[in-house]
Amino acid sequence: MLPVMKEDSTLALESFSKSIKNIIKVWVAAVFTAATLLMFTGSAFAYSVETEGVPEWLSQIIERSILAVAERMPGSQSDENKEKVIEVISGKLFDGYKVDSVDIRSGVIKIKLSPRKTADIWRVEIQVPQIQDPPLHWIKADTALIEEPLNRLILGLPVEALNWCDAGLKEEVLKIIAPVLPGWKPTLMVYSEKEEFIMKVSLSPELPLVLAVNPTLTSNSLPTLLHQDLREDLMERSAPFIGLPVAWAKRHENEINVWTETFLQTRGVVERTSAEPKASFSAGQVSQMKVNVESRHYTIAAWAALYAGTQDKTGEFGVHLGRKLKTFSRWNMEIYGEAIIELQDWDPEGRFGLRWSPWGDVWAGGEWSTKDDMWWGRINIEPRSSE
């Protein structure tokens, strides 16, 4: 019988233990539920905060902090007690400022603050990145645009306030810098010198960066052989653009176009042919620099052709020399001469003509041939040669 009694006793103990565990679980759940309700039921009243005596960007930080405090205060507490609590907490939170008054009426918390001491003297110092001209000149012009707004931002700011508003200050600096210097990340450092405080702003590039510049030259008036020297000059002189933020380079595409055109006008080939360059820069990790170089006075071209399916001609080689004319019409006009040699019998032919360009690369006109001793009409499309 002893073994049976032992088993019943064990079962009774196990049943009692399970009952105790269930009761504990119920109590724990109740405690957690009560705590959750207390945390989220606080004050059901919706407050708004108005701040006086501080800059607008600083008041936003203060208002968020006070609103967080007010929402956790019991709804049954009187406004007078809430004012005292907010005044004490604000005095601890907002270093550099003293609380002049706190007033709560109809759910609006009005708090007035003032600096604890005479306003500190501030100055902004912007450290430009180590880049070369021409980008260096452009970034100096950009930083000159943001210097005054940054000085206004910290005007009269107690240096002690940086203990609690440093993150907000950086956000405001980013708002000022981003539209003018996209792609540049600011780093702030504050130090004192003599009787003033200096906020030093350093700029570092953000990805993506310009990794290469690919110049492409096109022309209807200059032979392709002359393009290579210009292309190599552009690749060499565009080195300062490597490593710049793509976003900032995109903002300065017009300046890069002007710089490219001005640079090409100093090249010997462009000067001798009275050519006029037109640049179109497109910023990217591999930036495209498309340049069209057209002589204002002359056209020079050469071609070679092979014929198939006929016994009359096997091929020819030709040279085109033209002189552009100024007219009252918007159409381009050119008087030209061509020398052609057929490769089959080496019979030379000369052509002299006058043509107009009513649209783009389309030319129409008439020419006289020495071989046929007669006039011919001529329409042709001349896609720009590129390198």
Side-chain angles (χ1 to χ4, degrees):
M1 293 297 293
L2 287 176
V4 175
M5 290 178 64
K6 205 168 191 178
E7 288 177 7
D8 292 343
S9 176
T10 302
L11 291 172
L13 287 172
E14 287 180 355
S15 177
F16 178 76
S17 176
K18 287 180 180 179
S19 299
I20 293 296
K21 287 181 180 180
N22 289 333
I23 293 171
I24 292 174
K25 286 181 180 179
V26 171
W27 276 100
V28 169
V31 169
F32 274 110
T33 302
T36 302
L37 290 172
L38 287 173
M39 287 177 64
F40 290 98
T41 56
S43 174
F45 200 86
Y47 287 100
S48 63
V49 182
E50 297 178 3
T51 309
E52 296 182 18
V54 296
E56 183 178 354
W57 68 272
L58 206 57
S59 66
Q60 296 175 3
I61 301 173
I62 294 173
E63 288 169 7
R64 286 197 299 266
S65 300
I66 292 177
L67 193 60
V69 172
E71 288 177 346
R72 285 165 175 76
M73 298 173 70
S76 58
Q77 192 172 4
S78 66
D79 288 346
E80 185 178 355
N81 288 336
K82 292 178 182 178
E83 290 172 358
K84 292 179 180 179
V85 171
I86 291 173
E87 183 176 353
V88 172
I89 293 177
S90 298
K92 299 292 184 180
L93 287 178
F94 309 128
D95 289 346
Y97 285 94
K98 62 179 180 179
V99 182
D100 295 330
S101 64
V102 177
D103 182 46
I104 301 177
R105 292 184 183 179
S106 303
V108 179
I109 304 173
K110 293 184 178 180
I111 180 168
K112 186 174 182 180
L113 303 111
S114 60
R116 290 187 178 274
K117 60 181 182 180
T118 305
D120 295 315
I121 301 174
W122 283 91
R123 177 166 61 87
V124 173
E125 179 183 300
I126 303 176
Q127 184 178 16
V128 297
Q130 295 182 352
I131 57 178
Q132 302 176 15
D133 278 326
L136 179 60
H137 175 74
W138 302 332
I139 202 167
K140 284 182 177 179
D142 286 347
T143 55
L145 296 176
I146 64 172
E147 193 167 347
E148 184 179 349
L150 289 177
N151 275 304
R152 288 200 304 266
L153 183 68
I154 56 176
L155 180 65
L157 180 70
V159 70
E160 295 85 1
L162 294 178
N163 293 331
W164 52 273
C165 75
D166 56 337
L169 177 62
K170 188 172 183 179
E171 288 180 8
E172 294 300 316
V173 170
L174 281 171
K175 290 179 184 178
I176 294 172
I177 288 179
V180 182
L181 292 161
W184 293 100
K185 181 181 179 181
T187 302
L188 308 182
M189 183 178 71
V190 175
Y191 64 96
S192 61
E193 186 176 276
K194 296 180 180 179
E195 296 182 356
E196 64 178 1
F197 292 96
I198 299 172
M199 184 175 72
K200 184 177 181 180
V201 182
S202 303
L203 301 172
S204 57
E206 289 186 308
L207 298 175
L209 306 177
V210 175
L211 304 178
V213 177
N214 180 36
T216 304
L217 279 85
T218 60
S219 179
N220 271 337
S221 55
L222 298 179
T224 306
L225 294 175
L226 300 180
H227 296 184
Q228 184 61 30
D229 291 340
L230 295 178
R231 185 174 184 274
E232 290 178 355
D233 287 344
L234 277 177
M235 290 186 69
E236 181 180 350
R237 293 298 295 269
S238 61
F241 303 135
I242 308 300
L244 297 177
V246 171
W248 187 74
K250 190 172 186 64
R251 183 176 184 270
H252 287 278
E253 285 180 347
N254 289 337
E255 288 86 347
I256 295 174
N257 291 337
V258 172
W259 172 85
T260 303
E261 295 166 4
T262 304
F263 166 70
L264 287 175
Q265 287 170 354
T266 64
R267 301 298 92 187
V269 173
V270 177
E271 285 184 327
R272 288 192 299 271
T273 58
S274 299
E276 183 178 5
K278 292 292 182 183
S280 176
F281 183 85
S282 179
Q285 288 185 292
V286 179
S287 298
Q288 302 299 322
M289 183 182 285
K290 298 179 180 179
V291 184
N292 176 240
V293 183
E294 298 291 354
S295 174
R296 291 187 293 267
H297 303 303
Y298 304 100
T299 58
I300 305 171
W303 75 91
L306 295 174
Y307 297 93
T310 179
Q311 296 180 353
D312 297 335
K313 289 185 177 182
T314 58
E316 67 180 24
F317 174 78
V319 177
H320 175 102
L321 298 174
R323 178 69 165 86
K324 295 181 179 180
L325 303 175
K326 291 183 179 180
T327 65
F328 296 103
S329 172
R330 293 183 180 180
W331 292 7
N332 294 323
M333 182 183 293
E334 178 191 4
I335 184 170
Y336 65 91
E338 293 179 348
I340 303 169
I341 296 178
E342 293 186 3
L343 301 181
Q344 184 175 0
D345 53 11
W346 299 95
D347 185 17
E349 177 186 356
R351 297 174 185 173
F352 303 93
L354 184 66
R355 63 180 185 170
W356 294 264
S357 176
W359 179 75
D361 298 328
V362 177
W363 291 86
E367 64 183 21
W368 181 76
S369 171
T370 59
K371 183 177 180 180
D372 301 323
D373 196 18
M374 61 184 300
W375 284 91
W376 292 86
R378 182 172 176 175
I379 298 176
N380 59 323
I381 301 175
E382 297 182 351
R384 291 179 174 85
S385 59
S386 62
E387 180 65 36

